[in-house]
Amino acid sequence: MTSRMRGGDRPPGARRKPADPLPPLTLGAVAPAAREVHIDAPTPAGPLPRVYHDTGDHGRAMMTGILGRKRRLQRELDAMAANAEAGAAPLLARLAAILPPEAEAMFESGERAQSGARISDKLVAFHVLAEAHGRLAELEREVARLRSSTLRVEATLGLDTVSNFVADSPRTVFVATDLPLRTGDRVRVVLELKRIGRLDTEARVVWRRPGPDAGVGLELQNLQPRDRAAIALFMQSRDPLPQAAARGTLR
């Protein structure tokens, strides 16, 4: 009796036909679709906070800094001009033109803060302030160069030094020096007052002392309250020189 083999049956000892490999890809064939993985961002619990940049506050901060620097330069240049310092007057004229007068007046009166100006107006103001900042920085460099070019005189004053303050004129100090100074010269003087402190200010040569103990009488200018206090404290520890002794005319 003959038995018929079904399609799934195979004779004993026959090998299983290997499964067909994946069909090869040919040029121009469509690649199998790739699996895409999507990761959804977590949903925030609430709306994100909105960040506001107040351009008006930024402009007012810029203006405050510019005006503070301008006032400091104004005081320094005024002192140089009072001492007939060459080059101070042109710098003062340029300082006055750092800002448009109406911009400074508007800031000082507070009208800009209350007017609710448009964004475009504020951007124009920033442009003006940026230019003012650049011009002010250049002026600060020029004033520093002018200050450094001034002749500098240094002296130490103690209980036994030749240099000393002069009687009847608390703003005049005799400094022993052989520098070729002339009456009327403007100098920057640095006085080291022993056990008290350091005094740094402008001065004018008011007289010269000839001879082996040469020196000059310097009239101190633009003294601050702390400078006057330091001089008064020094003169409590040492008597000033008489005028004749300071000038070298004492016989």
Side-chain angles (χ1 to χ4, degrees):
M1 179 172 159
T2 303
S3 61
R4 298 177 61 185
M5 297 180 63
R6 291 173 296 183
D9 297 334
R10 57 190 177 91
R15 294 183 179 181
R16 182 186 298 272
K17 184 179 180 180
D20 293 336
L22 292 176
L25 292 177
T26 58
L27 187 63
V30 179
R35 296 182 60 187
E36 296 182 357
V37 179
H38 297 278
I39 301 177
D40 296 330
T43 304
L48 294 175
R50 300 182 66 182
V51 179
Y52 296 93
H53 298 281
D54 191 335
T55 54
D57 285 345
H58 184 52
R60 286 189 289 274
M62 288 179 65
M63 178 69 89
T64 300
I66 287 173
L67 289 180
R69 293 162 61 197
K70 181 183 176 186
R71 292 188 186 103
R72 286 192 294 271
L73 273 186
Q74 181 82 43
R75 290 193 295 268
E76 188 166 0
L77 287 172
D78 283 342
M80 290 181 177
N83 293 335
E85 187 72 40
L91 295 181
L92 272 171
R94 288 170 54 188
L95 182 65
I98 283 291
L99 282 168
E102 59 273 13
E104 190 168 345
M106 183 180 295
F107 178 81
E108 296 291 356
S109 65
E111 293 176 3
R112 186 172 186 82
Q114 303 170 6
S115 63
R118 296 174 302 167
I119 294 296
S120 60
D121 294 335
K122 293 177 181 178
L123 291 178
V124 170
F126 289 165
H127 176 68
V128 171
L129 295 180
E131 288 186 349
H133 171 77
R135 290 193 293 265
L136 192 58
E138 178 60 28
L139 269 177
E140 288 171 335
R141 289 190 290 269
E142 292 191 34
V143 171
R145 287 194 293 268
L146 183 62
R147 188 192 312 120
S148 63
S149 65
T150 304
L151 186 61
R152 185 183 179 95
V153 177
E154 297 185 5
T156 299
L157 275 67
L159 298 179
D160 55 356
T161 58
V162 177
S163 301
N164 191 12
F165 289 96
V166 180
D168 303 325
S169 180
R171 290 198 310 163
T172 302
V173 59
F174 169 72
V175 174
T177 178
D178 55 0
L179 289 174
L181 299 174
R182 300 168 300 177
T183 301
D185 282 350
R186 308 284 178 172
V187 299
R188 189 162 195 90
V189 61
V190 179
L191 301 178
E192 188 70 37
L193 306 181
K194 286 187 176 180
R195 299 183 180 180
I196 294 177
R198 185 183 181 91
L199 191 153
D200 186 343
T201 189
E202 295 83 20
R204 181 174 65 91
V205 179
V206 289
W207 42 263
R208 286 188 51 81
R209 173 174 166 174
D213 298 325
V216 291
L218 300 178
E219 182 182 62
L220 306 179
Q221 299 176 340
N222 303 314
L223 292 174
Q224 302 299 315
R226 64 177 179 275
D227 299 331
R228 298 189 184 94
I231 293 172
L233 185 60
F234 179 84
M235 295 179 73
Q236 290 178 6
S237 61
R238 181 182 179 183
D239 292 334
L241 290 171
Q243 285 275 355
R247 290 174 173 266
T249 58
L250 184 64
R251 296 291 185 266

